[in-house]
């Protein structure tokens, strides 16, 4: 153990307000809503699944035919007499032979529907039939082998009508099925076949899954950003299209009238969890709502609403504010009242756009901003800075925010743990006079204890820079283990279990113990920690060229030593191609070929490059150690629009910087990567495209922050020790005069860095609590290696 250092907390020296700093971000990705937080147990309840949503879907996805005894039937999806024009499809069960009953059976999400012994379930459906009106329709909670756990019967007439009945289950089964069947003759028509646990969060009919919602509530987030994410800006511009961009007006009112939607994460979205429910949930858990709206701009498919047609999109934003805050005399406020919430939802923030790039978005943003500020000057508007932590589009976002007077800039980054350590001081130089940072999405790549530890260290940096950072939320929030679009995620679940990751417990610590104002905190006298082996002076490694879903010819590949002026031709020509199949079999960034190696401090790798086919661009590695550790330039990546410099570190990857560049097939480009120490610049035809520094990670003795909570007067101190050694410290609470300090200590420690929570061991990594009592205003403490510690200091 090193020498004892001192942490001085100046309890009377307040700094920036912490406001609403730590919150959550909900997006319907990984089946976070349907098959997740939204408690509907029936999958494809309205027979609206369609290959547009996903190639292997159809109207009968998740349904199977039931034919009991000698029963025979034919089932098909029809649309001639729908229950509502926005909910076109329904199923027709033609009874050929009634046998012991014919009908349909739903398979649910995951392994099936979850039934618990003694609990009740609310079944509902729209139904009509053509004959045999005296024959009841039976609704059965079943096991996979047909064992009936609960049954109800309803009589159905010739006109569409909604039926609702509560059924109890006599058994617990995670692989349950729901059957709806009848006898007689003619045809039985069904739509909106639905089953909810009666016990939902706050007991709301058609509400939220209690266990998942409770996990979210237990975080005590200050805000909730929703509903996306890419979810909000991917899609067509016509609100009526199935793959339309997310339009909030489609998501309110009776669920059977909400149109089916293609979720951009390649599944079907019912919109049963809509804007009213989002607002209500925020209110329930005490989180301020932060809706994010599309700006008629889809950078992925490069679709943009013409400026002179932006009106309805801007109205969507204005109407949403009225829906949330307007009184009953307003059109949208009265609709909210009609839906059961006469009080306002007190909306304070609104986001326009998600991860936007390109001038087209920023041109449109101004119209939104001006219209919103003109009508609602107090609403705080969040602008966008693209999907990456730095580069041309990131800077364009910040310029736009400054020019428009945006209140916040939404920053997103998913990075390696090393990147988070290297960028601990990222916000130290940000000005309090600028728009504030909304760190709307971030995560280090992984759910291990190490990821959580590093995120905790970084979060003390967010806190300490509360003058510049106003809001921050981890992403993504939820993941159904059987429908993974993206990982890591904060909370994992299946149909009957849910667990928080190590990252969850870190987020929870920071949310529970945020405080209202920063306190000055100084550290001194700690021994210098052991530092990572990685060179802080240079980027060395092999040089490679590659292809990514295309065929590329590189010519005249040279290495230029800028210290000596020596120019070395590495190779005259490399032809390289990568097909879809190669992609599947090879590493993430395509096929590649080694062309040289360098240990130089200042050098350029230059070449001529031409794309013969395919839609992406060129790949050059210039600090390649192995598949887990590299630096790489991808000139022409996502949608053939971007020039990215990536760094891979210990198997985690991250994008250091991004700018726009769209290579054309058949055009030869002069490409150059220039490396000076850890600075990287890329040029196309002599024009600077990327300019970044690959900062090497640095370990600090302790990552600390301090704050004060107004309501209690408690002083809160956070300390994160990422070192592989315990750290001994003396904490001094200046100006805290008390004979007796009561200290609540919340601690995460004693875990191996690669440990994770799981369904089998959901609470392997959690926060532990102990209390301490001291006299005087000093206390000695040993921060265990790899620990996150929060002190809550109360006067005795
Ligand atoms: O959080 C997952 C996705 O990451 C979000 O939808 C998007 O904004 C980002 O690219």
């Amino acid at each position: 153990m090193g020498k004892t250092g001192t942490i001085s907390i100046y309890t009377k020296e307040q700094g920036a307000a912490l406001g609403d700093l730590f919150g959550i971000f909900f997006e319907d990705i990984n089946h976070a809503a349907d098959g997740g937080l939204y408690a509907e147990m029936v999958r494809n309840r309205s027979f609206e699944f369609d290959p547009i949503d996903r190639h292997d879907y159809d109207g009968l996805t998740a349904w199977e035919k039931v034919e009991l005894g000698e029963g025979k039937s034919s089932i098909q999806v029809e649309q001639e007499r729908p229950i509502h024009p926005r909910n076109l499809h329904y199923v027709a069960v033609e009874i050929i032979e009634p046998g012991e009953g014919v009908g349909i059976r739903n398979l649910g999400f995951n392994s099936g529907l979850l039934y618990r012994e003694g609990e009740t379930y609310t079944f509902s459906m729209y139904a009509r039939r053509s004959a045999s009106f005296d024959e009841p329709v039976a609704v059965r909670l079943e096991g996979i082998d047909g064992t009936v756990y609960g049954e109800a019967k309803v009589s159905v007439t010739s006109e569409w009508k909604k039926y609702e009945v509560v059924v109890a289950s006599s058994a617990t089964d995670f692989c349950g099925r729901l059957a709806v069947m009848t006898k007689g003759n003619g045809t039985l028509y069904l739509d909106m076949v639905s089953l909810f646990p009666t016990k939902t969060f706050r007991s709301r009919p058609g509400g939220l899954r209690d266990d998942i919602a409770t996990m979210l509530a237990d975080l005590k987030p200050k805000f909730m950003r929703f509903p996306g994410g890419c979810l909000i800006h991917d899609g067509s511009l016509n609100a009526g299209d199935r793959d339309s961009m997310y339009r909030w007006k489609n998501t309110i009112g009776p669920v059977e009238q909400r149109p089916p939607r293609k979720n951009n994460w390649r599944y079907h979205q019912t919109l049963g969890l809509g804007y009213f429910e989002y607002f209500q949930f925020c209110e329930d858990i005490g989180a301020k709502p932060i809706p994010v709206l599309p700006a008629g701009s889809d950078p992925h498919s490069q679709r943009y609403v013409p400026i002179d047609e932006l009106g309805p999109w801007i109205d969507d934003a204005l109407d949403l504010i009225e829906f949330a805050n307007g009184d009953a005399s307003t059109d949208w406020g009265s609709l909210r009242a009609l839906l059961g919430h006469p009080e306002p939802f007190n909306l304070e923030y609104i986001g326009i756009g998600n991860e936007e790039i390109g001038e087209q978005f920023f041109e449109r943003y101004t119209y939104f901003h001006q219209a919103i500020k003109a009508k609602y000057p107090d609403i705080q508007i969040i602008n966008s800075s693209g999907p990456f932590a730095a580069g041309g589009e990131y800077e364009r976002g910040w310029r736009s925010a400054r020019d428009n007077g945006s209140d916040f800039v939404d920053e997103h980054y998913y990075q390696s743990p090393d990147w988070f350590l290297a960028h601990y001081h990222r916000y130290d130089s940000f000005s309090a006079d600028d728009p504030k940072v909304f760190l709307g999405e971030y995560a280090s790549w992984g759910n291990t204890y190490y990821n959580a530890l590093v995120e905790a260290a970084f979060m003390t940096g967010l806190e300490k820079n509360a003058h510049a950072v106003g809001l921050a939320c981890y992403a993504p929030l939820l993941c159904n283990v059987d429908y993974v679009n993206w990982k890591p995620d904060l909370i994992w679940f299946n149909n009957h279990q849910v667990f928080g990751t190590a990252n969850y417990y870190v987020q929870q610590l920071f949310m529970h113990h945020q405080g209202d104002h920063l306190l000055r905190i100084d550290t001194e006298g700690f021994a210098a920690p052991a530092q990572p082996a990685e060179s802080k002076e240079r980027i060395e490694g092999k040089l490679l060229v590659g292809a990514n879903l295309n065929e590329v010819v590189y010519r005249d590949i040279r290495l230029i030593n800028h210290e000596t002026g020596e120019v070395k031709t590495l190779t005259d020509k490399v032809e390289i191609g990568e097909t879809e199949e190669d992609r599947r079999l090879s590493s993430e960034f395509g096929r590649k070929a080694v062309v040289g190696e360098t240990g130089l401090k200042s050098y350029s790798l230059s070449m001529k490059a031409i794309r013969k086919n395919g839609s992406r661009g060129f790949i050059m590695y210039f600090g390649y150690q192995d598949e887990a550790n590299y630096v790489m330039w991808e000139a022409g990546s996502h949608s053939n629009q971007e020039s990215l410099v990536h760094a891979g570190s210990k198997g985690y990857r991250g994008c250091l910087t991004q700018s726009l560049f769209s290579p054309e097939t058949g055009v030869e480009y002069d490409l150059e990567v220039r490396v000076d120490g850890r600075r990287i610049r890329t040029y196309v035809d002599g024009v600077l495209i990327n300019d970044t520094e690959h900062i090497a990670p640095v370990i600090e003795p302790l990552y600390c922050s301090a704050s004060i909570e107004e309501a209690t007067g408690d002083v809160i101190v956070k300390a994160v020790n990422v070192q592989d050694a315990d750290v001994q410290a003396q904490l001094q609470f200046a100006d805290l005069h008390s004979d007796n300090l009561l200290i609540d200590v919340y601690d995460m420690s004693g875990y191996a860095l690669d440990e994770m929570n799981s369904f089998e061991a959901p609470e392997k990594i959690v926060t532990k609590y102990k209390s301490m009592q001291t006299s005087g205003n000093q206390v000695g403490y040993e921060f265990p290696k790899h620990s996150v510690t929060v002190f809550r200091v109360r006067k005795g």
Side-chain angles (χ1 to χ4, degrees), residues 589-600:
F589 289 117
R591 281 273 167 95
K592 46 194 179 288
V594 177
V595 293
E597 182 152 11
T598 169
L600 302 176

Side-chain angles (χ1 to χ4, degrees), residues 7-9 11 730-741 743 774-780 793:
I7 305 175
S8 305
I9 301 105
T11 63
Q730 187 71 15
L731 285 90
Q732 298 183 339
F733 296 93
D735 298 316
L736 198 63
H737 301 296
S738 170
D739 294 340
N740 190 10
L741 290 182
I743 307 184
T774 79
S775 54
N777 63 351
Q778 297 203 13
V779 60
V793 185

Side-chain angles (χ1 to χ4, degrees), residues 126 134 184 256 314 345 437 563 702 757:
Y126 280 76
D134 294 337
E256 67 277 9
I314 294 172
F345 283 121
V437 173
E563 286 182 304
L702 274 181
N757 287 340

Side-chain angles (χ1 to χ4, degrees), residues 25 27 29 229-231 265 354-355 412 414 441 475-476 486:
F25 163 45
E27 175 170 25
I29 180 173
C230 290
L231 185 89
W265 294 105
N354 169 69
E355 292 192 346
H412 295 181
Y414 298 91
E441 294 182 25
W486 184 293

